[in-house]
Amino acid sequence: MMKRREFLKHAITVVAGLSLPLAALRIVQPERLFAGQEDLRWIFLVDTHKCVGCGFCVRACKIENEIPYDANVTRTWVERYVVTTDGETFADTPIGARDGFTDRRIDLGEGKFKEIKDEEIEKAFFVPKLCNQCDNPPCVQVCPVGATYRVPDGVVLVDRDWCIGCGYCIMGCPYGVRFFHPVYRVAEKCNFCYHRITKGLKAACVDACPFGARLIGNARDPNDPVTKTVLAGRVGVLKDEYGTKPWVYYLGLSKEVR
Amino acid sequence: MRNHVWRPLYLIIAVIALILLVRTLVVPEDFGSHESGYMYGWHRKGNEAEWQQVKVKYQTSAYCKDCHREMYDSIGKSPHGIIPCEDCHGPGAGHLDNPAKLPIDRSRQLCLRCHAQLPSPSSGRSAIRGIDPAGHNPEAECSLCHNPHNPTLEELP
């Protein structure tokens, strides 16, 4: 028979012994878990008030990043939201808004269109979408081969040589920004135009926007205009509840936007 | 111990050795967790440079300014001055070597991107003067009447 005192002593030893290795692992190199670059973290700001749905950003992106122009896939796209006085929400993005929005009818897909009268419209606006370069990217977590990864400056890249095309990341992304590249047959996504931002240029969509609705900046620079707006302005992110910690911020988000 | 215990054990060791051998042959040397950490950082280091080497196509309007200074200044004063040159003229890469390579997009579709009238009360679109594409001279190229570089309605012929 074991005495109560002895039992408690042993129990404490066992619990302490079990928890020590776990704690030790965390103490050794905490920076390895949240490693990043000290002086550079790319951040994106979309001002939905300024967007008019011209789609020049989508066109520029497709050409700059060599995404087959007529294939219905794109790294960035613009969504139109129309909320009626009845409280119904309609959203469409015909071929990703590559050619902008020129039809007042809502494209419901499969060749069907929805006509909404002017007086029935409560609000209507455009929302550009792109990769959020998350701090906790679910797409990277699910990759079985290490073909997609986060660079210390925050951008998530895909290794075209290493990707096996299993499609887990495409399913894993809650924002739906990933797709199969029709030519390379691997996963493809927006990378903030990595070849441009590393050369001191801005992303192609940012340069193509006539209205300044899309801005890119460095979150580690307190004097960066984007960082200032995000820190001091009223901004929102998409699907915050997923815990992905996205780095694309929106001005003028509405609850209808998903 | 008996043979029937050792033999499968040898087999398992051989399989593990084979897997390790194949791994060292197939996985490149620069594959690892690197500075991003082991959470999201496993990758082939060389791939970062591969992405940086993608060719830049859009050169921005500052690039056009060097040769087309006059155009750049005059368009800058017009309402269309906010539109980057390459939005209508196409990406400028290779233009210096082959000036003819830059085709001008004069299609109606290009102008309609902004000027097709849409009911969008909660966006900047409503502040842009728009037309009904089916009613306003359909089939005609906009530049027949309108000067895209100075689009004031007052100076129309």
Side-chain angles (χ1 to χ4, degrees):
Chain A
M1 262 314 259
M2 191 186 269
K3 281 181 190 163
R4 180 190 277 180
R5 181 181 290 268
E6 246 176 87
F7 170 76
L8 286 174
K9 265 187 187 172
H10 287 310
I12 289 167
T13 318
V14 168
V15 169
L18 281 174
S19 56
L20 187 71
L22 284 173
L25 267 178
R26 282 197 203 106
I27 291 162
V28 174
Q29 279 183 312
E31 72 276 11
R32 298 294 288 159
L33 268 176
F34 303 103
Q37 209 162 311
E38 285 297 305
D39 54 346
L40 179 64
R41 207 304 173 195
W42 295 107
I43 185 169
F44 206 96
L45 179 66
V46 178
D47 189 345
T48 57
H49 294 295
K50 289 181 179 165
C51 182
V52 306
C54 67
F56 275 130
C57 50
V58 181
R59 184 178 124 114
C61 173
K62 290 197 98 168
I63 295 170
E64 179 73 28
N65 294 298
E66 296 166 32
I67 308 300
Y69 199 67
D70 290 318
N72 195 9
V73 286
T74 174
R75 287 181 171 200
T76 183
W77 67 98
V78 182
E79 292 171 358
R80 163 169 64 181
Y81 285 83
V82 177
V83 182
T84 65
T85 45
D86 299 339
E88 252 190 299
T89 304
F90 296 93
D92 71 341
T93 173
I95 48 170
R98 184 198 73 187
D99 298 332
F101 291 89
T102 54
D103 196 331
R104 42 173 301 129
R105 298 172 302 167
I106 303 291
D107 189 348
L108 299 174
E110 294 169 340
K112 286 183 200 133
F113 293 89
K114 166 90 180 169
E115 180 91 46
I116 303 171
K117 291 195 192 89
D118 281 15
E119 57 270 22
E120 284 173 8
I121 294 174
E122 183 80 49
K123 51 181 173 180
F125 50 90
F126 304 95
V127 181
K129 296 268 183 87
L130 67 160
C131 175
N132 287 283
Q133 319 292 356
C134 306
D135 257 356
N136 295 324
C139 56
V140 173
Q141 198 157 38
V142 298
C143 181
V145 295
T148 183
Y149 56 98
R150 205 184 63 213
V151 189
D153 60 17
V155 175
V156 174
L157 295 174
V158 182
D159 186 340
R160 279 181 179 163
D161 287 341
W162 210 237
C163 177
I164 56 171
C166 70
Y168 282 166
C169 55
I170 298 170
M171 303 296 284
C173 175
Y175 305 98
V177 302
R178 284 181 173 246
F179 58 93
F180 268 114
H181 195 293
V183 176
Y184 298 103
R185 307 227 164 245
V186 292
E188 178 75 22
K189 71 183 277 294
C190 158
N191 54 21
F192 282 1
C193 284
Y194 203 63
H195 60 296
R196 293 174 69 90
I197 56 176
T198 48
K199 289 186 186 82
L201 290 159
K202 286 176 177 138
C205 60
V206 176
D207 277 333
C209 182
F211 304 95
R214 306 173 74 121
L215 298 167
I216 190 164
N218 175 11
R220 300 271 185 267
D221 176 6
N223 294 318
D224 191 291
V226 174
T227 310
K228 276 183 176 172
T229 310
V230 170
L231 285 176
R234 281 172 280 168
V235 291
V237 290
L238 294 170
K239 297 182 181 169
D240 197 19
E241 66 277 15
Y242 280 62
T244 51
K245 294 186 187 151
W247 281 76
V248 174
Y249 286 83
Y250 286 85
L251 277 165
L253 261 192
S254 191
K255 69 178 193 304
E256 290 83 10
V257 180
R258 272 161 289 136
Chain B
M1 235 187 286
R2 301 270 176 82
N3 244 356
H4 71 271
V5 176
W6 284 115
R7 254 192 250 155
L9 197 63
Y10 287 141
L11 189 71
I12 290 165
I13 291 169
V15 167
I16 291 172
L18 187 73
I19 289 171
L20 288 176
L21 183 74
V22 170
R23 192 189 182 281
T24 48
L25 291 176
V26 174
V27 176
E29 261 182 44
D30 60 346
F31 190 89
S33 72
H34 304 294
E35 64 268 26
S36 281
Y38 45 69
M39 267 283 251
Y40 302 112
W42 287 98
H43 69 288
R44 201 166 54 84
K45 188 80 183 157
N47 184 243
E48 291 175 34
E50 285 168 28
W51 275 113
Q52 289 174 19
Q53 280 154 15
V54 173
K55 194 173 160 242
V56 172
K57 285 101 187 164
Y58 280 84
Q59 307 286 329
T60 76
S61 299
Y63 176 82
C64 314
K65 190 171 72 176
D66 292 343
C67 301
H68 303 282
R69 183 83 214 193
E70 244 171 72
M71 283 300 233
Y72 182 87
D73 288 341
S74 71
I75 300 164
K77 288 177 201 130
S78 92
H80 273 180
I82 55 168
I83 306 174
C85 311
E86 291 166 303
D87 275 8
C88 306
H89 293 273
H95 178 55
L96 286 183
D97 307 323
N98 181 10
K101 236 178 88 180
L102 224 61
I104 303 173
D105 187 350
R106 286 200 179 83
S107 72
R108 216 175 142 80
Q109 197 61 33
L110 188 89
C111 309
L112 289 178
R113 283 169 176 266
C114 295
H115 293 290
Q117 195 153 39
L118 294 181
S120 43
S122 346
S123 87
R125 181 72 169 245
S126 50
I128 300 174
R129 287 198 262 199
I131 56 147
D132 171 19
H136 184 91
N137 304 321
E139 312 295 318
E141 249 176 28
C142 307
S143 57
L144 280 176
C145 303
H146 303 273
N147 176 5
H149 286 166
N150 186 26
T152 51
L153 289 181
E154 289 69 33
E155 283 172 27
L156 277 185

